[in-house]
Amino acid sequence: MCGLAGIVRFDGGAADAGTRARARAMRTALRHRGPDGEGEALLPDAILEHTRLALLDREGGAQPMSTPDGRYTIVYNGEVYNHRELRERLDYAFCSRSDAETVLAAFVAWGADCLPLLNGMFAFFVWDARERRGFAARDALGVKPLAYAWDGAEFLFASEAHVVARTRQQPVRAHTGAILEYLVAPCFSGVERSMFDGVEYLQPGHWLELGPEGPILHRWYRFTVADAGQGPNDETLRTALERAVRRACLADVPIGVFLSGGLDSTAIAAIAARVLPAPPRAFTIAFADMAAYDDRRSTIVVGNDLPFAELAAAAIGSPLTHVSAPRSELARDLERIAASNDALPAWEQELAQDRLARAAAAAGLKAVFVGDAADETHFGYHFLLDPAAVASPRAILARFGAVPVRREVLADPLVVFTDKYREWMHPDASPHAQIAGTTALIVERWLPRLLHNGDIHTMRVGLEARVPFADTELLALAATVSPGAGLADGEKTRLRAALRGVVPEAIRLRRKSALPKDPGTTAVYQQEASRLLVDPPALVRELVDISALRPLLGPASSPGEWERAALFRVIVLCHFLRHHGIP
């Protein structure tokens, strides 16, 4: 895992000392993503910067990396797990064991056609010095990030959007539309575009070609659910997952696991324990008073993870670390995750992600397995069984609450964003088609947001999150399962059946529950919101109906789950705007 950045100019400006200083500042800003090394390529039209987290071939994998003739230079972030197999197909004089060199050689040989052959997670940029053209690409589901900006003369790119925003020769400004989406539809926000005006994200499953005319975008991957069919049998699906985990075990360093005691992370840990020299070290969040939490009132946290995580670790033989999150540090945690996540923290569960990442990094790990992408590609959400929820985006948005927006800004925010997402969902279609449309929306907007959060919180502390459920072989099989088969006996029917005997039965049959939230945050949220809303940033005053929030702030108030979530988002928005100097 790494951080990558660069500046491309077609007017000779890349040789300017000021441009070089700006590029090096980008590299410095990404040092947390690659604490093991850094490099720079100074080319006639481009400056490429790289910071490296070395998990494979520490000595030979330094970047930027060029072909022997100097024509092509790559900066790369990711892990391509089948790169050894690809090398056997390539006529190239390899000088290292690194997958970065394999990706470079594959691009030289096949151009954009190499992308479907890369099984893993990646974002990279290649500069062709002879043709004076650039090429950027991002993996199928968007595990690895790439943000960019083009002003007609200068192309900037980096692993994190704020780095691009701060390097542009313009003041850093928020994109009002993106902020509004965050307030009203946080689960879909921060994907289509960044929170910074003028900064774009290369979308998952897309590639970009760059010339003097600017960037031209192309799509190379789309996850599409089958109209009918049972998909693979249990053994085929289980074997594919086993191969995916085995591939993701490739590393020269130990790999841990974030273990919730749910089906996905437990299955990954159980399989990895058979592949690795020893069962992976496991980490689970342990908020105070979780056992007393009334999950009957929650939309997404429907059970206490801790007993199941302990059961899973015992069955697998993994050492389990209980990661605490003291409420005395909650106010500082809110400020930290707002500064870390440049797409703005969408869920309170990001507090847990931050704590888990810091604990794993403090334990000396450089990589962890996570169960992300399973629910989205294997029909893992319970609301897919609700006809009202899959008939319209409005029903999904209404489930998760919104920060009140001033009527002068949006008279009916739900109508606006329902229309925005309607292209995926078809209310007049068959029930199966409605589920397929909802799944498409989830895969294209919800999942990249989850993957972004996982990447940003782990890489902030130099930790790589590995996502076996994003394996391309496994995705191809998942796409052959129709809604009727995937939800025949409740959520994730086919995957649950395939994992019989792999995980304890209590976990295999456990209903999907989101990563826990601390049940005791109300008082801190009220205090922090009260303090920050005395003199909020101008954009908060402009967009948020602060008067609608004030009744939630008094000591006699008892905000519900989504009212607390609204307070959480307003708090981190205030911190985010101030951290980035946005009025």
Side-chain angles (χ1 to χ4, degrees):
M1 281 306 112
C2 306
L4 52 86
I7 301 177
V8 178
R9 297 190 66 97
F10 294 97
D11 60 359
D16 180 75
T19 303
R20 292 185 175 185
R22 291 163 59 221
R24 287 168 183 166
M26 297 174 84
R27 184 179 70 200
T28 299
L30 294 169
R31 196 73 175 87
H32 55 275
R33 298 185 71 93
D36 295 333
E38 57 186 345
E40 177 182 66
L42 300 174
L43 306 167
D45 302 293
I47 307 172
L48 307 183
E49 303 287 350
H50 194 263
T51 65
R52 186 169 183 231
L53 179 65
L55 279 80
L56 188 68
D57 192 10
R58 179 162 187 162
E59 299 303 321
Q63 297 182 50
M65 185 178 290
S66 299
T67 53
D69 61 3
R71 175 177 172 179
Y72 298 99
T73 302
I74 191 172
V75 280
Y76 160 83
N77 170 27
E79 302 287 348
V80 170
Y81 303 120
N82 65 332
H83 82 100
R84 289 175 177 171
E85 294 88 338
L86 289 175
R87 285 187 173 215
E88 297 176 1
R89 301 172 56 182
L90 290 162
D91 181 16
Y92 189 88
F94 289 100
C95 300
S96 74
R97 295 186 296 114
S98 76
D99 54 337
E101 190 175 23
T102 307
V103 172
L104 176 60
F107 175 76
V108 171
W110 302 312
D113 291 338
C114 76
L115 297 175
L117 304 177
L118 305 179
N119 191 353
M121 51 185 181
F122 56 83
F124 64 89
F125 181 90
V126 176
W127 180 249
D128 181 345
R130 189 178 77 187
E131 298 296 326
R132 300 180 69 217
R133 298 192 74 82
F135 176 92
R138 195 171 174 202
D139 63 67
L141 297 183
V143 181
K144 293 288 103 184
L146 188 68
Y148 69 93
W150 166 253
D151 66 3
E154 180 176 79
F155 181 81
L156 306 170
F157 68 92
S159 294
E160 297 180 10
H162 71 96
V163 175
V164 176
R166 291 172 180 268
T167 308
R168 297 176 74 223
Q169 295 177 308
Q170 300 177 29
V172 178
R173 295 188 177 91
H175 187 281
T176 302
I179 299 294
L180 281 170
E181 185 174 34
Y182 167 76
L183 295 173
V184 178
C187 55
F188 300 135
S189 69
V191 174
E192 181 184 34
R193 61 176 309 118
S194 84
M195 298 295 167
F196 301 97
D197 191 39
V199 180
E200 308 291 341
Y201 288 121
L202 182 59
Q203 293 298 293
H206 282 68
W207 61 276
L208 172 156
E209 57 180 324
L210 176 68
E213 70 280 5
I216 302 172
L217 299 172
H218 307 267
R219 184 162 196 161
W220 68 270
Y221 177 84
R222 185 190 300 273
F223 182 87
T224 304
V225 173
D227 294 331
Q230 294 294 310
N233 61 38
D234 293 350
E235 182 179 359
T236 300
L237 185 56
R238 180 173 57 252
T239 300
L241 177 58
E242 290 170 348
R243 283 198 293 263
V245 174
R246 182 178 295 275
R247 281 189 280 263
C249 286
L250 179 66
D252 294 339
V253 298
I255 306 174
V257 61
F258 289 166
L259 187 63
S260 69
L263 180 71
D264 313 322
S265 64
T266 303
I268 290 169
I271 295 167
R274 302 199 300 262
V275 177
L276 296 170
R281 183 168 178 178
F283 299 81
T284 196
I285 197 72
F287 290 119
D289 307 325
M290 272 305 297
Y293 181 60
D294 185 2
D295 54 60
R296 293 171 299 178
R297 297 186 175 185
S298 174
T299 305
I300 58 174
V301 180
V302 298
N304 183 6
D305 275 0
L306 194 54
F308 293 96
E310 291 171 342
L311 170 64
I316 295 163
S318 287
L320 181 64
T321 297
H322 295 70
V323 179
S324 64
R327 287 175 194 147
S328 61
E329 300 176 17
L330 177 56
R332 280 175 289 176
D333 287 351
L334 289 165
E335 189 168 1
R336 182 178 51 256
I337 66 169
S340 299
N341 191 346
D342 56 10
L344 274 165
W347 290 283
E348 295 170 82
Q349 284 89 340
E350 292 183 54
L351 291 160
Q353 288 180 294
D354 170 69
R355 283 282 173 173
L356 288 167
R358 287 194 286 151
L365 292 177
K366 289 188 175 183
V368 290
F369 291 117
V370 296
D372 294 351
D375 290 316
E376 295 76 20
T377 57
H378 292 268
F379 301 103
Y381 288 106
H382 195 73
F383 61 73
L384 292 173
L385 295 162
D386 180 356
V390 299
S392 169
R394 185 183 184 99
I396 296 176
L397 297 178
R399 282 172 177 253
F400 299 109
V403 174
V405 173
R406 295 181 62 194
R407 289 190 60 81
E408 303 93 306
V409 178
L410 288 178
D412 192 336
L414 283 183
V415 168
V416 171
F417 286 99
T418 294
D419 290 342
K420 183 179 179 68
Y421 310 130
R422 196 179 296 280
E423 65 178 278
W424 284 281
M425 300 170 71
H426 310 288
D428 298 325
S430 69
H432 283 193
Q434 289 179 359
I435 294 170
T438 305
T439 299
L441 174 60
I442 289 169
V443 169
E444 298 208 5
R445 296 301 294 272
W446 183 309
L447 177 56
R449 169 52 116 144
L450 289 173
L451 294 171
H452 167 88
N453 295 344
D455 172 84
I456 207 79
H457 292 302
T458 52
M459 292 302 291
R460 181 59 60 179
V461 292
L463 182 71
E464 172 185 295
R466 294 194 166 185
V467 190
F469 279 99
D471 182 274
T472 55
E473 178 192 0
L474 192 58
L475 287 177
L477 290 176
T480 67
V481 179
S482 68
L487 296 164
D489 295 318
E491 74 227 12
K492 220 162 3 186
T493 293
R494 296 305 315 283
L495 188 60
R496 289 188 193 281
L499 291 175
R500 185 178 285 108
V502 177
V503 302
E505 278 294 281
I507 290 173
R508 189 180 74 85
L509 299 176
R510 182 189 177 197
R511 181 183 168 184
K512 158 72 180 174
S513 182
L515 187 67
K517 300 182 288 188
D518 185 349
T521 58
T522 300
V524 176
Y525 286 179
Q526 289 174 322
Q527 292 166 7
E528 285 299 288
S530 296
R531 180 178 66 84
L532 292 167
L533 292 177
V534 169
D535 184 23
L539 190 61
V540 172
R541 290 196 303 270
E542 176 187 334
L543 302 181
V544 176
D545 185 352
I546 296 174
S547 64
L549 291 174
R550 294 204 185 281
L552 305 178
L553 304 181
S557 174
S558 299
E561 178 180 26
W562 298 112
E563 291 171 325
R564 288 196 305 274
L567 294 180
F568 165 84
R569 297 207 296 278
V570 168
I571 291 166
V572 295
L573 176 58
C574 289
H575 285 313
F576 171 89
L577 295 172
R578 287 179 174 160
H579 175 78
H580 293 292
I582 301 171

